[in-house]
Amino acid sequence: SITLKSARLVAAKGEKSGEVIRTLIIPGKDFLQVSAVDVPPPAGLLQVPGEPARGFATDGEIAQNLANSGEGRELVTWQPSESEAALAVSGHLGSSADVGTWDQFAVNERMYGITSTFNE
């Protein structure tokens, strides 16, 4: 859906424009594409005179800007506190000894009645 504030039906040549509609909601099923021409960006996105335009920056661009500005910082290895160390996880979901053998095709057949034609 699209919500328009202070919308007005544009009149054909020689006709009067429609009344201002305070809020007009157009359901997504009623349009295929939207184009906006000569619509100013929201005030927060306006470029400040004398400053470079801001936009999306990749990690590499941000890192390059930090490196050029001399604002870099030394990275340090994270070490958990004593209370956090007690909560450490092993990196997997349980012991590998508990897993046993896994036959996905047999489980699917047993649970869903599906017999696979896959041939290794």
Side-chain angles (χ1 to χ4, degrees):
S1 296
I2 295 177
T3 302
L4 301 173
K5 299 288 186 177
S6 301
R8 177 185 300 225
L9 181 62
V10 176
K13 275 190 173 180
E15 293 183 24
K16 186 177 178 184
S17 293
E19 294 293 319
V20 173
I21 302 168
R22 190 173 181 152
T23 301
L24 175 64
I25 300 173
I26 305 170
K29 66 179 180 59
D30 292 341
F31 65 90
L32 177 63
Q33 181 176 349
V34 176
S35 296
V37 180
D38 295 328
V39 176
L45 298 178
L46 293 176
Q47 182 177 348
V48 177
E51 289 188 15
R54 288 193 202 174
F56 178 80
T58 64
D59 288 345
E61 291 167 333
I62 294 169
Q64 183 65 37
N65 289 340
L66 287 175
N68 291 338
S69 70
E71 294 180 27
R73 59 189 169 110
E74 184 178 334
L75 298 178
V76 295
T77 305
W78 176 78
Q79 295 295 327
S81 67
E82 287 183 32
S83 61
E84 292 170 328
L87 301 173
V89 293
S90 61
H92 54 81
L93 299 175
S95 169
S96 60
D98 298 336
V99 174
T101 59
W102 171 255
D103 185 344
Q104 178 178 345
F105 303 108
V107 172
N108 283 340
E109 188 171 356
R110 184 178 72 246
M111 292 180 69
Y112 307 109
I114 298 171
T115 302
S116 174
T117 58
F118 179 77
N119 184 0
E120 291 183 37

